[in-house]
Amino acid sequence: MASNESLTTSLDAEVLRQRLASLALTEGVRRWDLGASCSTDTSVQVDRGEAKQMKGAQRSAITLRVWNDDGLVGITSTSDLSDAGLARALAGARDASAYGNVDEIPDFSPLATAPLPVLQQPLSTPLSILTLLDTLRDAERDLLGRHPAIGTVPYNGLAQRSSDRLYINSDGACRQQRLSTASLYLYARAEEAGRKPRSSGAVRLAYGAADLDVAGCVQEAAERTIAHLDYAPIATGRYTCVFSPEAFLDLIGAFSSLFNARAVLDGVSLSRRESLGEQLAVPFLSLHDNGLNPANVGAAAFDGEGTPTRRLALLEGGVLRHFLHSEATARAFGVSPTGHAGLGAKVSVGPDWFEIGPTPGSGGGAPGLDRFAPGASGDDRGLVVIDSLSALHAGVKASQGSFSLPFDGWLVQNGASRSIEAATVAGDIRTLLNAILGFEGPAKVTPDGLCPHVWVEGLSITGDA
Amino acid sequence: MLEPLLAGGRSAGADLVEVFLERSDHLGMLAEQDVITSVSPAFGAGAGLRVFLGDRDGFVSTNDLSTAGLRAALEQALGMLGLVLPLQAGGRFDGLPELRDFAAAKEGWLPSCPSLAEATSRLLEGTDRLQAHGQHLQVRRGSYARDWQEVLVAASDGTFARDVRLHQSVGLNVLAADGDHRASLGRRYGTSDSPDDLRQWDAEAAAVDVCSSAGTMLRADYVEAGQFPVVLANRFGGVIFHEACGHLLETTQVERATTPFADMVGQPIAHPSLTAIDEGHTAGAFGSLAMDDEGMEPQRTVLIENGILQRFLSDRAGERRTGHPRTGSGRRQSHAFAAASRMRNTFIAAGPHTPEQLIASVDRGLYCKSMGGGSVGPTGQFNFAVEEGYLIENGSLTRPVKGATLIGDAKEVMPRISMCANDLELAAGFCGSVSGSIFVTVGQPHIKVDTITVGGR
């Protein structure tokens, strides 16, 4: 087996730059860049008061990209940061560059040396794994005690990570970001005699395990799980639906190719180059991508190409304003990179963190929406509250615009709500974006973004009744 | 290097110490239209150290394979269980036996795989064949992945084994578009332990298959929602059993108390017509293994026989925590994951009927020729997407339909699989779960489910 003797748990950017520069000189490679990361993780899981599994990990990774004498690009990735590993990666990238795409050659981002945003990201000292274990045990015990039907918390975990990532290129760019994060998830399973088991949960993120809102996570997991205990099948038909912030953000994320310049160029987006400026949604919907939102725990200060992260308007007044870009797609569109790139032979593009809500000055759609208000649904059929969507990987056809997704939620009739036994929601994303009625309540911070409850009319629900 | 680790861990008080060492070499490749747009090699090495004490365990993974790095990982894993590595190891470990080397005959596999030039050429042949056979194709994509992995497992119970695995897969995907009509569709083919896999791939047949389905689905109507009898085609139709039942027969689910079948060994859980098997032996199948990731040779495990639950799939932790004997099913994506009980080649056995008899038995229902992905939740609720479906009316296939999702509950659906045809076939797939994404095979003959909820519009 190979050995890897130079590994450290943090990265020295200048040392790595010098090692790569020296190797590249030896191999005759004049132009290169790299993304590297290393991290240490600890995590615990529990099962009815007992430690189920405790894990630790030290990880390192580097992706090296080189330009050959013909200007074509090749890459190689490795976890071996020794001199031998880097030399092999460099040789592999050079070999791969012979098959670089002549039709689209990536370049260094013009913003790879631009000033970075200042992020308030406190570095936390990791807690001992036994402290994590005690914390999770207490949380599990608390959750199990919230209702007699809650018998287990089958999916749970408390994890903390210290990480270091950097971007370096042969033109002198050098980005580095150190980060500590922690996460807690609790998914409870509840079952009453003669009834089907029900499940729900909650997640919390913070910059350190000591800062996690454990009580809030337990409370939310308990409330959500208990709220699904009394369930009934729902009749198949068309309903006005109220998406929870989490569910709506999941759906928008699954269709983010609408806003993705890479997908547009590849022909797999529903948007086209000329879609910019077109009305895509109701005239009161705004959608921004903003990895810099202070509530976005663990925000990246720069993307895979070293471009600074920034806030970008995707929809304003329902009109498509901008696409997410890498260096290459931005060049193809004649704009600046937006800080949403990965690093690869073909550079991927993806969103960071969405902000969704009413467009200022638009009125924000129907006012005063309240699912529990008398006559809220407008008929006897009731409102369907979609709390969480499942199986987005299987049920979303992003390039077709269609979705058919199982969900957990409630039917609200005359101010009373009852959990739905099992159902799917189906539709077309473009139709949905133009069937939004308005927003209910204030925007809520979630791990994927900021969003209020969103009302949508006329969605197809399939149930068992 | 290994024996001092195992001896040290045992001397610290651990019941069992296991070291998993891995080297990997991956190649990913993408062709779009008639151009290679991505060639992505990757290689790496790492170790996963697991320590058991009673039914608890601590697991640490690292990329640092130096003596100091591995020792630090062991100390961390022991510390999770309140154990301390002694200054001097002594007793409680008898040393490793002779290596069981499954890899000896496989040393030449990696250099025998297609070169970059050969692989790119074959992939472009695939996208070229799509162009030749498809209509209204807006996007043509071919992708290839080659995963080579060398693993060595050493444990203080005398396990000491090495293997080399090779998986190759090639896929074709298209997006057909004509006005407002769109259909995206793909197929992936995969084998294990065959360096010539890509060379032997029938690009022509694959392209014809994909283009035929895309052409059919381009103008398909959305399926009407409701509850219908469903006939699922063979091969990848087996994903229904994988998701609906297979995951619930892993001891990880018993440990979590998330399977409704935990106490039902020897009892009926499915229709008497159904027998289901999980094994790791079929030559060339994606889920086949010479040894699992805990160094055990895989067994042929009959899960359900004539509707009666026979066994669970079990790994080291599962055996310790649930009492179900190991089945050679301890699997993990890489050194970064602790092994868990996972499926290998999982299939429903062939039955006595012909596929035509199944379809003829349905007055009004859905024929699922091709399945998309799916998942199962913590309460046994499963779902999966139908990629290519057709209405069954009066015992015959009629119109193509799209947008269907099958949802149900494993405990309720298994007794409704009432007919199995005689055309068992397997298909390669990937399964993501607690120990990462692994290579698996799903399979079945054509089967009939008497009624299931079909989500649609």
Side-chain angles (χ1 to χ4, degrees):
Chain A
M1 309 298 288
S3 117
N4 180 358
E5 299 189 351
S6 67
L7 194 73
T8 59
T9 52
S10 64
L11 295 166
D12 187 322
E14 181 53 26
V15 168
L16 191 54
R17 191 193 64 75
Q18 287 179 12
R19 289 168 65 197
L20 248 298
S22 173
L23 281 169
L25 190 64
T26 305
E27 298 291 331
V29 173
R30 287 190 290 272
R31 190 170 173 79
W32 54 267
D33 67 357
L34 66 86
S37 65
C38 72
S39 62
T40 59
D41 299 72
T42 47
S43 64
V44 295
Q45 293 176 26
V46 298
D47 181 12
R48 285 158 286 188
E50 298 295 327
K52 183 170 185 300
Q53 188 165 70
M54 293 179 279
K55 291 183 182 177
Q58 292 90 38
R59 296 189 180 93
S60 58
I62 185 166
T63 295
L64 183 57
R65 194 165 62 159
V66 307
W67 282 252
N68 67 19
D69 290 341
D70 296 325
L72 301 179
V73 172
I75 73 157
T76 291
S77 301
T78 182
S79 61
D80 184 353
L81 271 60
S82 68
D83 283 342
L86 294 180
R88 185 180 165 196
L90 195 70
R94 193 184 49 204
D95 291 347
S97 70
Y99 301 91
N101 181 3
V102 294
D103 296 333
E104 187 182 294
I105 301 175
D107 202 346
F108 293 157
S109 168
L111 301 176
T113 54
L116 289 179
V118 177
L119 300 174
Q120 299 301 318
Q121 296 177 319
L123 289 174
S124 291
T125 303
L127 301 181
S128 80
I129 197 161
L130 297 179
T131 303
L132 297 183
L133 183 60
D134 288 342
T135 303
L136 188 58
R137 271 192 188 126
D138 290 345
E140 186 202 35
R141 184 170 52 245
D142 190 357
L143 182 50
L144 290 171
R146 295 298 180 102
H147 194 283
I150 299 178
T152 59
V153 187
Y155 295 93
N156 66 74
L158 175 53
Q160 60 186 1
R161 164 174 289 191
S162 299
S163 63
D164 195 356
R165 68 182 272 265
L166 56 82
Y167 171 83
I168 300 172
N169 72 30
S170 56
D171 274 4
C174 184
R175 310 287 207 189
Q176 187 159 20
Q177 183 179 20
R178 292 202 166 95
L179 197 61
S180 65
T181 53
S183 63
L184 169 67
Y185 64 93
L186 298 166
Y187 279 79
R189 185 177 190 272
E191 189 167 7
E192 292 182 310
R195 305 282 280 166
K196 288 183 178 179
R198 311 291 285 168
S199 179
S200 194
V203 179
R204 290 292 186 276
L205 304 176
Y207 285 104
D211 305 318
L212 284 165
D213 176 17
V214 179
C217 191
V218 170
Q219 179 70 19
E220 184 181 336
E223 286 176 356
R224 284 190 152 174
T225 306
I226 293 165
H228 286 297
L229 281 174
D230 177 29
Y231 64 86
I234 186 171
T236 297
R238 291 197 174 271
Y239 291 81
T240 296
C241 295
V242 184
F243 283 82
S244 72
E246 293 87 347
F248 197 74
L249 286 161
D250 276 348
L251 193 65
I252 294 297
F255 284 101
S256 64
S257 60
L258 280 165
F259 315 109
N260 187 319
R262 178 74 271 162
V264 172
L265 290 175
D266 289 349
V268 295
S269 172
L270 293 170
S271 300
R272 297 156 286 117
R273 268 175 182 264
E274 54 272 28
S275 297
L276 289 173
E278 290 181 356
Q279 192 79 34
L280 187 64
V282 288
F284 52 84
L285 178 71
S286 277
L287 168 61
H288 292 77
D289 186 83
N290 184 16
L292 301 178
N293 189 303
N296 179 20
V297 174
F302 54 90
D303 71 3
E305 299 178 320
T307 303
T309 303
R310 69 180 172 99
R311 187 172 194 259
L312 185 71
L314 302 175
L315 294 176
E316 281 178 328
V319 174
L320 185 60
R321 292 297 184 201
H322 296 98
F323 289 126
L324 308 168
H325 281 289
S326 65
E327 178 281 326
T329 66
R331 190 154 34 91
F333 278 73
V335 298
S336 290
T338 57
H340 295 91
L343 182 65
K346 176 174 180 170
V347 175
S348 62
V349 174
D352 284 328
W353 205 82
F354 290 128
E355 295 172 343
I356 297 174
T359 301
S362 69
L369 293 174
D370 177 359
R371 79 200 91 144
F372 297 113
S377 64
D379 57 32
D380 292 337
R381 182 178 281 272
L383 292 170
V384 168
V385 178
I386 296 176
D387 188 38
S388 63
L389 295 166
S390 304
L392 286 106
H393 67 288
V396 166
K397 289 275 193 182
S399 58
Q400 296 179 27
S402 63
F403 61 89
S404 179
L405 297 165
F407 70 93
D408 288 330
W410 300 277
L411 178 65
V412 181
Q413 287 175 302
N414 305 316
S417 109
R418 194 173 192 195
S419 178
I420 296 167
E421 180 177 350
T424 62
V425 57
D428 177 276
I429 189 65
R430 292 162 297 188
T431 306
L432 181 148
L433 289 171
N434 285 287
I436 295 173
L437 294 172
F439 307 100
E440 177 182 333
K444 178 186 173 186
V445 171
T446 81
D448 297 316
L450 183 71
C451 185
H453 280 78
V454 181
W455 285 51
V456 181
E457 66 177 346
L459 286 176
S460 178
I461 302 290
T462 304
D464 283 340
Chain B
M1 178 174 70
L2 294 172
E3 288 189 323
L5 287 172
L6 301 176
R10 285 284 286 152
S11 298
D15 293 338
L16 184 96
V17 183
E18 179 196 81
V19 181
F20 177 88
L21 295 172
E22 177 196 28
R23 274 200 304 161
S24 63
D25 192 306
H26 167 85
L27 175 64
M29 198 173 279
L30 179 67
E32 294 175 275
Q33 280 58 264
D34 301 305
V35 178
I36 296 292
T37 55
S38 178
V39 175
S40 305
F43 64 94
L49 288 88
R50 196 172 193 183
V51 177
F52 285 91
L53 182 63
D55 61 3
R56 290 189 297 147
D57 73 283
F59 175 78
V60 174
S61 65
T62 180
N63 294 127
D64 184 353
L65 299 184
S66 67
T67 302
L70 292 174
R71 185 181 168 88
L74 176 62
E75 285 180 327
Q76 188 182 359
L78 290 167
M80 293 172 180
L81 303 175
L83 303 175
V84 177
L85 194 62
L87 291 175
Q88 196 153 21
R92 304 198 71 199
F93 178 59
D94 298 329
L96 289 171
E98 187 176 344
L99 179 72
R100 285 186 302 134
D101 195 354
F102 298 99
K106 306 173 183 176
E107 301 287 2
W109 278 1
L110 185 58
S112 301
C113 286
S115 65
L116 286 178
E118 194 176 1
T120 54
S121 171
R122 291 251 51 203
L123 214 49
L124 289 172
E125 183 185 337
T127 56
D128 175 71
R129 294 296 82 203
L130 289 173
Q131 176 71 358
H133 294 290
Q135 290 188 321
H136 306 294
L137 298 187
Q138 181 169 312
V139 176
R140 292 173 285 127
R141 280 180 170 164
S143 59
Y144 167 67
R146 185 216 64 213
D147 287 281
W148 177 93
Q149 183 193 40
E150 178 188 10
V151 301
L152 187 148
V153 183
S156 58
D157 64 354
T159 302
F160 190 35
R162 185 177 79 109
D163 194 19
V164 162
R165 289 90 176 256
L166 176 67
H167 292 88
Q168 292 180 90
S169 67
V170 57
L172 293 179
N173 292 72
V174 297
L175 171 61
D178 185 18
D180 288 338
H181 299 286
R182 285 186 157 218
S184 56
L185 209 133
R187 299 276 193 275
R188 178 157 286 276
Y189 310 85
T191 67
S192 66
D193 301 350
S194 168
D196 288 331
D197 177 52
L198 184 63
R199 296 185 182 101
Q200 294 168 352
W201 172 56
D202 189 342
E204 179 80 13
V208 167
D209 184 21
V210 172
C211 290
S212 168
S213 292
T216 301
M217 297 307 295
L218 180 58
R219 290 180 177 79
D221 290 330
Y222 283 100
V223 70
E224 180 187 346
Q227 295 202 339
F228 306 109
V230 167
V231 174
L232 289 148
N234 58 358
R235 291 173 52 82
F236 203 67
V239 72
I240 185 173
F241 182 80
H242 177 102
E243 296 293 350
C245 190
H247 279 298
L248 300 177
L249 301 181
E250 298 165 340
T251 50
T252 47
Q253 303 284 339
V254 180
E255 292 174 45
R256 286 199 168 110
T258 49
T259 173
F261 306 129
D263 302 318
M264 297 187 71
V265 172
Q267 298 181 44
I269 66 166
H271 194 280
S273 68
L274 190 139
T275 292
I277 294 154
D278 182 279
E279 51 84 17
H281 298 126
T282 300
F286 225 33
S288 290
L289 308 157
M291 66 177 214
D292 75 0
D293 291 322
E294 296 176 325
M296 181 178 178
E297 292 178 51
Q299 297 181 346
R300 182 178 190 273
T301 311
V302 177
L303 302 169
I304 300 169
E305 188 165 27
N306 299 326
I308 308 295
L309 177 60
Q310 303 293 322
R311 282 196 74 166
F312 282 84
L313 298 173
S314 186
D315 63 328
R316 273 191 200 284
E319 183 176 72
R320 298 177 80 90
R321 291 174 184 147
T322 69
H324 292 287
R326 291 167 67 192
T327 51
S329 308
R331 304 188 63 190
R332 56 182 119 198
Q333 177 180 331
S334 71
H335 68 276
F337 296 84
S341 55
R342 302 287 296 275
M343 285 175 270
R344 300 157 299 188
N345 306 311
T346 314
F347 55 88
I348 294 174
H353 305 286
T354 64
E356 292 76 18
Q357 287 174 320
L358 272 60
I359 291 167
S361 73
V362 176
D363 286 336
R364 184 167 182 275
L366 181 68
Y367 174 62
C368 305
K369 181 182 175 186
S370 172
M371 305 303 301
S375 65
V376 60
T379 60
Q381 282 280 339
F382 67 83
N383 59 79
F384 42 100
V386 180
E387 192 176 60
E388 184 179 356
Y390 297 82
L391 287 184
I392 305 174
E393 294 170 303
N394 300 318
S396 298
L397 300 186
T398 56
R399 291 179 292 124
V401 287
K402 64 183 178 183
T405 300
L406 306 187
I407 59 172
D409 177 281
K411 205 170 177 178
E412 292 179 350
V413 164
M414 295 311 295
R416 297 181 192 156
I417 301 176
S418 61
M419 295 175 79
C420 296
N422 53 8
D423 58 344
L424 168 66
E425 283 195 45
L426 306 181
F430 298 90
C431 173
S433 187
V434 287
S435 58
S437 176
I438 59 172
F439 304 97
V440 297
T441 300
V442 299
Q444 65 174 34
H446 275 74
I447 63 168
K448 177 188 171 187
V449 183
D450 288 338
T451 180
I452 195 168
T453 300
V454 178
R457 295 193 190 176

